[in-house]
Coordinates of all heavy atoms in Angstrom, one line a residue:
L152 N 36.4 -33.5 58.4 CA 35.1 -32.9 58.6 C 35.0 -31.9 59.6 O 34.4 -30.8 59.5 CB 34.0 -34.1 58.9 CG 33.7 -35.1 57.8 CD1 32.8 -36.2 58.3 CD2 33.1 -34.4 56.6
F153 N 35.6 -32.2 60.8 CA 35.7 -31.2 61.9 C 36.5 -30.0 61.6 O 36.2 -28.9 61.9 CB 36.2 -31.8 63.2 CG 35.1 -32.6 63.9 CD1 34.8 -33.9 63.7 CD2 34.3 -31.8 64.9 CE1 33.9 -34.5 64.5 CE2 33.3 -32.5 65.6 CZ 33.0 -33.8 65.4
L154 N 37.6 -30.2 60.8 CA 38.4 -29.1 60.4 C 37.7 -28.2 59.4 O 37.6 -26.9 59.6 CB 39.6 -29.6 59.7 CG 40.6 -28.5 59.1 CD1 41.2 -27.6 60.3 CD2 41.8 -29.2 58.4
T155 N 36.9 -28.8 58.4 CA 36.1 -28.0 57.5 C 35.0 -27.3 58.2 O 34.8 -26.1 58.0 CB 35.5 -29.0 56.4 OG1 36.6 -29.6 55.7 CG2 34.7 -28.1 55.4
A156 N 34.4 -28.0 59.1 CA 33.2 -27.4 59.9 C 33.7 -26.2 60.7 O 33.0 -25.2 60.8 CB 32.5 -28.4 60.7
G157 N 34.9 -26.4 61.2 CA 35.3 -25.3 62.2 C 35.6 -24.1 61.3 O 35.4 -22.9 61.8
Q158 N 36.3 -24.2 60.2 CA 36.6 -23.1 59.3 C 35.4 -22.4 58.8 O 35.3 -21.2 58.8 CB 37.5 -23.6 58.1 CG 38.8 -24.0 58.6 CD 39.6 -24.8 57.4 OE1 39.0 -25.3 56.4 NE2 40.9 -24.9 57.6
N159 N 34.3 -23.3 58.5 CA 33.1 -22.7 58.0 C 32.4 -21.9 59.2 O 31.9 -20.8 58.8 CB 32.1 -23.8 57.6 CG 32.5 -24.5 56.2 OD1 33.3 -23.9 55.5 ND2 31.9 -25.5 56.0
T160 N 32.4 -22.3 60.3 CA 31.8 -21.7 61.5 C 32.3 -20.2 61.6 O 31.6 -19.3 61.9 CB 32.0 -22.5 62.7 OG1 31.6 -23.8 62.5 CG2 31.1 -21.9 63.9
E161 N 33.6 -20.1 61.6 CA 34.3 -18.8 61.7 C 33.9 -17.9 60.6 O 33.8 -16.7 60.8 CB 35.8 -19.0 61.8 CG 36.2 -19.8 63.1 CD 37.7 -19.8 63.3 OE1 38.4 -18.8 62.9 OE2 38.2 -20.8 63.8
T162 N 33.7 -18.4 59.5 CA 33.3 -17.5 58.2 C 31.9 -17.2 58.2 O 31.5 -16.0 58.0 CB 33.7 -18.3 57.0 OG1 35.1 -18.6 57.0 CG2 33.3 -17.4 55.7
L163 N 31.0 -18.3 58.5 CA 29.6 -18.0 58.5 C 29.1 -17.1 59.7 O 28.1 -16.5 59.6 CB 28.9 -19.4 58.4 CG 29.1 -20.3 57.2 CD1 28.5 -21.7 57.4 CD2 28.4 -19.6 56.1
F164 N 29.7 -17.4 60.9 CA 29.2 -16.7 62.1 C 30.4 -16.0 62.7 O 31.0 -16.5 63.7 CB 28.7 -17.9 63.0 CG 27.7 -18.7 62.3 CD1 27.9 -20.0 62.0 CD2 26.4 -18.2 61.9 CE1 27.0 -20.9 61.4 CE2 25.5 -19.0 61.3 CZ 25.8 -20.4 61.1
P165 N 30.7 -14.9 62.2 CA 31.9 -14.0 62.8 C 31.5 -13.8 64.3 O 30.5 -13.6 64.7 CB 31.9 -12.8 62.0 CG 31.2 -13.2 60.7 CD 30.2 -14.2 61.0
P166 N 32.6 -13.7 65.1 CA 32.4 -13.6 66.6 C 32.0 -12.1 67.0 O 32.3 -11.2 66.1 CB 33.9 -13.8 67.1 CG 34.8 -13.4 66.1 CD 34.0 -13.9 64.7
A167 N 31.4 -12.0 68.1 CA 31.0 -10.6 68.6 C 31.2 -10.6 70.1 O 31.0 -11.6 70.7 CB 29.5 -10.4 68.2
L168 N 31.7 -9.4 70.5 CA 32.0 -9.2 72.0 C 31.4 -7.9 72.3 O 31.5 -6.9 71.7 CB 33.5 -9.2 72.2 CG 33.9 -9.0 73.7 CD1 33.7 -10.3 74.4 CD2 35.4 -8.6 73.8
F169 N 30.6 -7.9 73.5 CA 29.9 -6.8 74.0 C 30.2 -6.6 75.5 O 30.3 -7.6 76.2 CB 28.4 -6.9 73.7 CG 28.0 -7.2 72.4 CD1 27.7 -8.4 72.0 CD2 27.9 -6.1 71.5 CE1 27.3 -8.7 70.7 CE2 27.5 -6.4 70.2 CZ 27.2 -7.6 69.7
D170 N 30.4 -5.3 75.9 CA 30.4 -5.0 77.2 C 28.9 -5.1 77.7 O 28.0 -4.5 77.2 CB 30.9 -3.6 77.4 CG 30.9 -3.1 78.9 OD1 29.9 -3.3 79.6 OD2 31.9 -2.6 79.3
I171 N 28.7 -6.0 78.7 CA 27.4 -6.4 79.2 C 26.6 -5.2 79.7 O 25.4 -4.9 79.5 CB 27.3 -7.5 80.1 CG1 25.9 -8.1 80.3 CG2 27.9 -7.1 81.5 CD1 25.8 -9.4 81.0
G172 N 27.3 -4.3 80.3 CA 26.7 -3.1 80.7 C 26.1 -2.1 79.7 O 25.0 -1.7 79.7
E173 N 26.9 -2.0 78.6 CA 26.5 -1.2 77.5 C 25.4 -2.0 76.7 O 24.4 -1.4 76.4 CB 27.6 -0.9 76.5 CG 27.1 -0.1 75.3 CD 28.1 -0.2 74.2 OE1 29.1 -0.9 74.2 OE2 27.8 0.5 73.1
F174 N 25.5 -3.3 76.6 CA 24.5 -4.0 76.0 C 23.1 -4.0 76.6 O 22.2 -3.8 75.9 CB 25.0 -5.5 75.9 CG 24.2 -6.5 75.1 CD1 24.4 -6.7 73.8 CD2 23.0 -7.1 75.7 CE1 23.6 -7.5 73.0 CE2 22.2 -7.9 75.0 CZ 22.5 -8.2 73.6
L175 N 23.1 -4.1 77.9 CA 21.8 -4.0 78.6 C 21.3 -2.6 78.6 O 20.0 -2.4 78.4 CB 22.0 -4.4 80.1 CG 22.4 -6.0 80.3 CD1 22.6 -6.2 81.7 CD2 21.3 -6.9 79.7
S176 N 22.1 -1.6 78.6 CA 21.6 -0.2 78.6 C 21.0 0.1 77.2 O 20.0 0.8 77.1 CB 22.7 0.8 78.9 OG 23.6 0.8 77.9
R177 N 21.6 -0.5 76.2 CA 21.1 -0.2 74.8 C 19.8 -0.9 74.5 O 18.9 -0.4 73.8 CB 22.1 -0.7 73.7 CG 23.5 0.0 73.8 CD 23.4 1.4 73.2 NE 24.6 2.1 73.2 CZ 25.1 2.7 72.2 NH1 24.4 2.9 71.1 NH2 26.3 3.4 72.2
Y178 N 19.6 -2.1 75.2 CA 18.4 -2.9 74.9 C 17.4 -2.9 76.1 O 16.5 -3.6 76.1 CB 18.8 -4.3 74.6 CG 19.5 -4.5 73.3 CD1 20.8 -4.4 73.2 CD2 18.8 -4.7 72.1 CE1 21.5 -4.5 72.0 CE2 19.4 -4.8 71.0 CZ 20.8 -4.7 70.8 OH 21.5 -4.8 69.7
S179 N 17.5 -2.0 77.0 CA 16.7 -1.9 78.2 C 15.4 -1.4 77.7 O 15.2 -0.6 76.9 CB 17.3 -0.9 79.1 OG 16.3 -0.5 80.1

């Protein structure tokens, strides 16, 4: 169950990485 749930998580919710400086300036 945990293996299946883990694989689903990566598929359903792809990761995202942001430079916090750019992120805050874009959404300021």
Side-chain angles (χ1 to χ4, degrees):
L152 289 175
F153 274 92
L154 178 62
T155 301
Q158 293 170 341
N159 287 346
T160 308
E161 296 186 32
T162 301
L163 294 170
F164 309 110
L168 184 73
F169 304 100
D170 181 309
I171 196 169
E173 182 198 2
F174 186 89
L175 293 177
S176 67
R177 297 284 182 137
Y178 291 91
S179 168

